[in-house]
Structures are given as structure tokens and as C-alpha cells.
Amino acid sequence: MKVDLFDFALPAERIALHPASPRDAARMLVLNGDVTIDRTVGDLPASLRAGDCLVFNDTRVIPAQLDGRRGEARIGATLHKREGPRRWRAFVRGAKRLHDGDTIDFGHDVTAISTARGEDGSWALDFAGDEPVELLLERAGRMPLPPYIAQKRGITPQDADDYQTMFAADPGAVAAPTAALHFTPALMAALAAHGIAHETLTLHVGAGTFLPVKADDTVDHRMHAEWGRIDGAVADRLNAVRAAGGRVIAVGTTSLRLLESATGEDGVIAPFEGDTAIFITPGYRFRAIDGLMTNFHLPRSTLFMLVSALMGTDRMQAAYAHAIAAGYRFYSYGDASLLLPDDRS
């Protein structure tokens, strides 16, 4: 499938540089079958129905961006996947200056040795010392805001809170599951009062989520693997929701991808722990989910391909054109969409 099918023109002023305040004041474009409705995230309880279940990703973003030196050479690293107790794979700025076995000094008594360069250009970094790597990152790392935000206005102390969801519990992500950034305790209470349940899973989002699709055809694009877990009790409760006639609504593409990875052809969600590199494009048959709440994605991105698979490419191109014309805010700190295929309730 040609990647050009997923392109669209996005004015730079539509890219959100800060989140809405309060979080649930963000706008929400609802696609309910072929009906399009402009709402806000605060309207979510009225946009769903009793018996539905929202599924959140409880990963916690770590300060995964590091600036260091190898001798006089400047080296920048963005961690994206843990490979061992002290080893992380990282995308490296200044990688041409790096060799196997080099020591990188990130300051604050944090050093790492570069090893095992991958086919994708990433390096494995083995951190020195006995302290947990998470403590090292707290000293030397920065919040890994997406490039389209960080390059425009830098990173501020407020981002340490703004770029974490209220569900963040399990450290390991280098990008936030941004659809869940819209949720507040007040909104969760309102959802519960409407009979809408929620569950959590864990998918540690990697920096590969920011990588552009460079191939001309989707068959030539390789997804990066990310680690995830769905507990058996959670899987059982989600299966019970669907058996009772409720809908499983993924909050964010990360939750959706892990749910689909854990679900068999029979539609039964199973416990899961391990890596997934699932790549969802139009023609995919969804097995685990009945809807998706997500932000607005980049042109030609794997995530725009995913929402096109759920709702149809023409439908999503028209919806994004509407969102752009109506002033919706895009990307990580932007507004939300609620995608309910073939549903009129």
C-alpha cells in the first residue's frame, strides 16, 4: 500500500505546543459510524454507554534524553528500549563519532559504554555503576518531548507533569500514551457514574513512535518492537465486558496495539508479556477493540495508517480535513478524537 495515501497538509499553527488546561477541556472530534460530531473530552461520558470499558496504558515516561561527550565529540542519546538491567538501546545524535567500546560521559557521574550497533543505526548503551539506571536518568536525563514540540519551544520543568498521564505507574516509556493525558480524576468519576468501567495494561512506548516512514510502500516499513504486559485478570474482565454486550474502547494507539497483539482469531483476549511489533494498516481485521480514543497524528505516520484501518482511509482524510478547518490542535499535546466504527448509539 502506497504511503502517499496517508499524506495530508497540516499547517504548522495546528501543532499544539502546550496541553489544554484543565486537561479534559480539550476538544474531541467524535466519529460515530458515518456521523461526525464536535465535542469536548468532558463530554466523553455522554459519548459512550453503560457497560463500556476504557483501557489505559499505565506506563510512566522516564527522562530518556541524555547529552554527553566522547572526548571532545558531543553525543546525544534518546533511550528507546530496555535490553537488560543496565543496558538500553538508544538512537544517537553524532553517531558517526561513536565506535564500539567507546565511553560516553553524560555528566552527573553517569557514564555508558556503546556496543552492538543495530541495523537501524541505534546503539546499545551499557551504563556503569551499581545504581539503578532510573536513578541515573533522574540525575542526567531530560523529559523526552516529541521533536516537533521540543525544537519549537524547548523543554520546561512543567513538562515533567504535563507529559505524564494520571495513570502513570510503571517506569519505562520514552514517549507518553498521549490520549490518556486528557483524563482527570473528575472525568474518571463522571465515567464511573455513567456505568463506564476502566482497566489498565502496560506498553513501554519507544522512541520508534517518532520515526518517520521512509519507505514508499507500507510493506517495506519495519516497526520497532516494544515491551508490554496484560495481566490474566485484566484479560478475563475485558472478555467479560464483550460477552455482556459492552464495548472495549482503547485509550490510545499503544493500548490498542497491545490488545490486538494479545487477541486470537477467536476474539478472546489472552494474558500477554513480551515484545510486540504489530503494524496495523487498512485491511487489518480488528479482534480486540470496538473503538479508540486517540489524538490527531502526523501525516504519513504508522498511527494515521492505524486509524485509517479502523475507520477507512477516506473517512479519516475527511475527518482530518474537518479538524484542520475547525481549528483542532494536533499531536501529543493536542485535542482528541473518539473513533467508533459502524455504531449509531
Side-chain angles (χ1 to χ4, degrees):
M1 189 173 298
K2 294 298 183 183
V3 173
D4 287 347
L5 294 173
F6 307 98
D7 201 4
F8 57 89
L10 181 70
E13 61 269 21
R14 290 288 174 264
I15 300 173
L17 300 183
H18 300 277
S21 181
R23 293 184 178 207
D24 55 10
R27 299 174 70 187
M28 181 175 69
L29 183 65
V30 180
L31 305 188
N32 196 336
D34 57 10
V35 177
T36 302
I37 310 167
D38 295 296
R39 287 183 170 168
T40 67
V41 172
D43 297 322
L44 185 61
S47 304
L48 300 175
R49 59 185 183 225
D52 288 345
C53 183
L54 297 168
V55 184
F56 297 93
N57 185 356
D58 70 1
T59 190
R60 185 172 185 84
V61 183
I62 60 174
Q65 286 190 336
L66 297 161
D67 293 310
R69 288 182 176 274
R70 182 197 63 79
E72 295 300 315
R74 292 186 177 182
I75 302 293
T78 300
L79 309 186
H80 77 90
K81 189 172 186 294
R82 183 192 291 277
E83 292 191 334
R86 308 202 62 75
R87 171 176 285 199
W88 278 78
R89 187 151 293 275
F91 295 111
V92 174
R93 300 186 309 279
K96 291 181 180 179
R97 306 184 184 99
L98 205 58
H99 306 89
D100 193 78
D102 282 348
T103 296
I104 308 170
D105 185 349
F106 293 113
H108 306 278
D109 294 322
V110 177
T111 62
I113 296 174
S114 57
T115 61
R117 188 173 190 181
E119 294 181 0
D120 59 358
S122 67
W123 285 88
L125 300 182
D126 292 318
F127 286 88
D130 299 319
E131 291 179 281
V133 174
E134 288 76 11
L135 291 182
L136 303 181
L137 297 179
E138 290 293 337
R139 290 207 305 267
R142 292 180 289 112
M143 207 65 172
L145 277 191
Y148 46 76
I149 296 176
Q151 291 173 4
K152 287 195 173 184
R153 54 93 161 157
I155 300 172
T156 70
Q158 183 62 38
D159 290 309
D161 292 322
D162 286 346
Y163 201 55
Q164 295 284 15
T165 76
M166 65 172 287
F167 309 96
D170 193 341
V174 301
T178 54
L181 292 176
H182 300 295
F183 286 78
T184 64
L187 178 56
M188 294 304 297
L191 287 162
H194 279 72
I196 298 161
H198 75 278
E199 298 286 350
T200 60
L201 47 72
T202 304
L203 181 76
H204 290 325
V205 191
T209 190
F210 299 134
L211 295 180
V213 177
K214 297 181 179 179
D216 294 326
D217 196 289
T218 57
V219 298
D220 298 319
H221 178 71
R222 179 189 173 199
M223 290 286 284
H224 283 81
E226 297 164 312
W227 182 91
R229 178 182 60 238
I230 300 176
D231 290 339
V234 170
D236 289 344
R237 289 194 294 269
L238 292 174
N239 289 323
V241 165
R242 301 186 91 190
R247 297 176 297 182
V248 171
I249 311 293
V251 179
T253 56
T254 62
S255 295
L256 183 152
R257 290 172 55 243
L258 188 58
L259 286 166
E260 290 296 322
S261 299
T263 304
E265 292 291 339
D266 58 0
V268 176
I269 302 169
F272 185 96
E273 183 166 356
D275 286 349
T276 177
I278 189 171
F279 182 21
I280 295 175
T281 58
Y284 178 85
R285 183 178 68 83
F286 289 86
R287 303 187 292 259
I289 62 99
D290 306 291
L292 169 67
M293 182 174 173
T294 187
N295 287 12
F296 292 95
H297 303 295
L298 281 72
R300 301 171 64 91
S301 65
T302 61
L303 302 183
F304 186 64
M305 295 172 192
L306 185 155
V307 297
S308 296
L310 182 63
M311 302 298 295
T313 305
D314 291 344
R315 179 83 168 101
M316 290 311 303
Q317 286 282 11
Y320 271 44
H322 170 86
I324 292 167
Y328 278 77
R329 302 161 70 246
F330 273 61
Y331 303 167
S332 294
Y333 276 156
D335 295 318
S337 62
L338 177 63
L339 311 180
L340 303 170
D342 301 321
D343 192 278
R344 302 296 186 273
S345 59

